[in-house]
């Protein structure tokens, strides 16, 4: 039995980790400020004897006496409408101060710490697909840079804590992920399209819909993240994690319309600034090191996700 701290534990990915670890018999400390996370996501384990919820913002340091074995640093708003604009400075602080505070905690507890990094570190990629050696093409002063540069800086401090203090770090770069426990109102494309179709509202494609993303079902993603965390010391990454099957946003809208009986049509809106044109992970490294590959095709993953949203979207 391990004691595992999950920051962002009431969020989309964090809640899946907490639920899995409780099912496996571990002690779980779930930390969140509930800005984009929701206690509903962990309702099924809220009263479990091995589960403790800590209302805290990782921007501030935290001292925890109970001995921690592993830290999954998942806390950060991940949807562009949630991390930009009025929240931009908070986002950078969450990425950078949050990483430093959690690394300090890992140092104190001699814990292994995994950083949830992102495909956004590649910015508007000039290489396709993106592998981990690609250093990216990020606009440092754009509306997305609070997240992109914040996550890049977090990777930087992780590797400095490895070099200076020998902390056992793991870094995963998470590509677009979807599934149960997504917030219906957070503005991501999969949640927007499904909820719009369920509500008979028109599906909003930003730009002409030719931009691409590669969508990974959350169950596949959680499995690889856990494998990375539990790998031998020294396998630090960064590792791309995601599903390399690439779709245009227009194709995604058409698939959703085919699956849901709805009066919705497609409408077009302005493309947000600095919205990446294409994105697809090269996952050779995780395949090689962790004997992992995504198993859930978009069509199947969407069916399960539609079922989830049909219970919570009116
Ligand atoms: N998008 C869209 N309609 C929406 C929400 C998003 O066309 O209602 C587009 C968005 O502009 C981007 C892609 O879908 O090109 C993925 O957006 P999301 O916010 O899900 O993820 P990210 O941009 O972080 O990859």
């Amino acid at each position: 039995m391990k004691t595992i701290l999950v920051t962002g534990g009431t969020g989309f990915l964090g809640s899946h980790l907490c639920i899995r670890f409780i099912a496996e018999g571990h002690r779980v400390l779930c930390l969140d400020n509930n800005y984009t996370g929701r206690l509903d996501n962990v309702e099924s384990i809220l009263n479990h004897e091995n589960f403790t919820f800590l209302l805290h913002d990782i921007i501030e340091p935290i001292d925890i006496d109970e001995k921690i074995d592993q830290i999954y640093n998942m806390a950060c708003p991940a949807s562009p409408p949630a991390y930009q604009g009025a929240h931009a400075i908070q986002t950078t602080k969450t990425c950078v101060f949050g990483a430093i505070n959690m690394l300090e905690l890992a140092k104190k507890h001699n814990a292994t710490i995994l950083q949830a990094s992102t495909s956004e570190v590649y910015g508007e990629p000039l290489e396709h697909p993106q592998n981990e050696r690609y250093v990216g093409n990020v606009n440092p002063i754009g509306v997305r840079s609070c997240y992109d540069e914040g996550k890049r800086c977090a990777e930087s401090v992780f590797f400095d804590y490895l070099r200076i203090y020998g902390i056992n770090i793991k870094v995963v770069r998470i590509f677009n992920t979807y599934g149960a426990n997504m917030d219906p109102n957070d503005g991501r494309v999969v949640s927007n399209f499904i909820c719009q179709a369920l509500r008979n509202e028109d599906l909003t494609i930003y730009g002409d819909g030719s931009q691409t993303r590669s969508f990974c079902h959350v169950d596949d993603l959680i499995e690889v993240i856990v494998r990375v965390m539990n790998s031998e010391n020294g396998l630090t990454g960064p590792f791309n994690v995601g599903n390399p099957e690439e779709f245009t946003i227009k194709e995604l809208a058409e698939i959703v319309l085919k699956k849901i009986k709805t009066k919705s049509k497609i409408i077009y809106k302005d493309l947000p600034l600095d919205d990446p044109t294409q994105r697809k992970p090269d996952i050779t490294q995780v395949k090689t090191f962790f004997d992992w590959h995504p198993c859930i095709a978009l069509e199947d993953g969407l069916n399960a996700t539609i079922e989830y949203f049909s219970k919570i979207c009116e």
Side-chain angles (χ1 to χ4, degrees), residues 78-81 83 120 144 176 187-190 192-193 196 204-207 211 213 215 249 271-272 275-276 279:
S79 170
Y83 67 62
E120 288 281 331
R144 286 175 100 99
N176 294 68
R188 306 306 295 266
V189 69
V190 172
N192 270 10
F193 284 177
Q196 286 164 340
T204 51
I205 289 185
Y206 303 157
Q211 71 270 39
R213 293 292 186 273
F215 297 100
I249 295 303
L271 189 67
D275 196 281
R279 189 184 279 157

Side-chain angles (χ1 to χ4, degrees), residues 78-81 83-84 118-120 144 147-148 175-177 182 186-193 196 202-215 248-250 252-253 267-279:
S79 170
Y83 67 62
Q84 294 174 353
T118 168
S119 55
E120 288 281 331
R144 286 175 100 99
Y147 185 75
D148 299 10
F175 283 65
N176 294 68
T177 304
M182 286 185 101
D186 83 350
R188 306 306 295 266
V189 69
V190 172
S191 46
N192 270 10
F193 284 177
Q196 286 164 340
D202 291 336
L203 272 57
T204 51
I205 289 185
Y206 303 157
D208 63 7
S210 63
Q211 71 270 39
T212 69
R213 293 292 186 273
S214 308
F215 297 100
T248 67
I249 295 303
K250 182 140 192 271
L252 176 71
I267 58 168
Y268 292 87
K269 294 200 163 180
D270 289 344
L271 189 67
L273 282 172
D274 286 338
D275 196 281
T277 312
Q278 55 181 2
R279 189 184 279 157

Side-chain angles (χ1 to χ4, degrees), residues 77-277:
S79 170
Y83 67 62
Q84 294 174 353
H87 304 287
I89 293 162
Q90 185 81 1
T91 301
T92 304
K93 287 182 180 172
T94 306
C95 293
V96 181
F97 297 172
I100 293 170
N101 288 331
M102 291 309 113
L103 282 158
E104 282 296 322
L105 201 60
K107 179 150 73 87
K108 180 182 157 196
H109 287 261
N110 197 19
T112 304
I113 180 166
L114 178 142
Q115 168 66 1
S117 190
T118 168
S119 55
E120 288 281 331
V121 300
Y122 301 122
E124 170 68 358
L126 303 177
E127 278 184 19
H128 195 72
Q130 296 81 52
N131 70 44
E132 293 88 346
R133 285 179 304 282
Y134 179 49
V135 293
N137 177 36
V138 171
N139 176 0
I141 58 167
V143 291
R144 286 175 100 99
S145 59
C146 57
Y147 185 75
D148 299 10
E149 296 288 18
K151 288 285 191 179
R152 286 170 68 94
C153 187
E155 287 198 13
S156 163
V157 291
F158 261 69
F159 280 87
D160 283 332
Y161 269 76
L162 166 68
R163 283 183 285 257
I164 297 168
Y165 301 113
I167 305 291
N168 192 18
I169 64 159
K170 312 279 179 190
V171 177
V172 289
R173 293 179 175 158
I174 300 172
F175 283 65
N176 294 68
T177 304
Y178 68 96
N181 293 8
M182 286 185 101
D183 181 345
N185 301 313
D186 83 350
R188 306 306 295 266
V189 69
V190 172
S191 46
N192 270 10
F193 284 177
I194 294 176
C195 290
Q196 286 164 340
L198 290 170
R199 293 174 182 141
N200 291 307
E201 294 166 6
D202 291 336
L203 272 57
T204 51
I205 289 185
Y206 303 157
D208 63 7
S210 63
Q211 71 270 39
T212 69
R213 293 292 186 273
S214 308
F215 297 100
C216 187
H217 187 264
V218 64
D219 292 352
D220 277 334
L221 194 92
I222 293 298
E223 177 58 31
V224 68
I225 287 181
V226 172
R227 286 192 197 188
V228 173
M229 172 60 109
N230 291 293
S231 63
E232 63 192 68
N233 290 3
L235 267 184
T236 59
F239 295 112
N240 287 340
V241 290
N243 187 328
E245 248 198 298
E246 187 182 11
F247 294 85
T248 67
I249 295 303
K250 182 140 192 271
E251 283 169 339
L252 176 71
E254 283 161 355
I255 296 171
V256 170
L257 285 181
K258 202 177 68 192
K259 288 185 175 293
I260 299 176
K261 197 170 174 300
T262 178
K263 299 194 180 78
S264 309
K265 317 183 293 305
I266 290 174
I267 58 168
Y268 292 87
K269 294 200 163 180
D270 289 344
L271 189 67
L273 282 172
D274 286 338
D275 196 281
T277 312

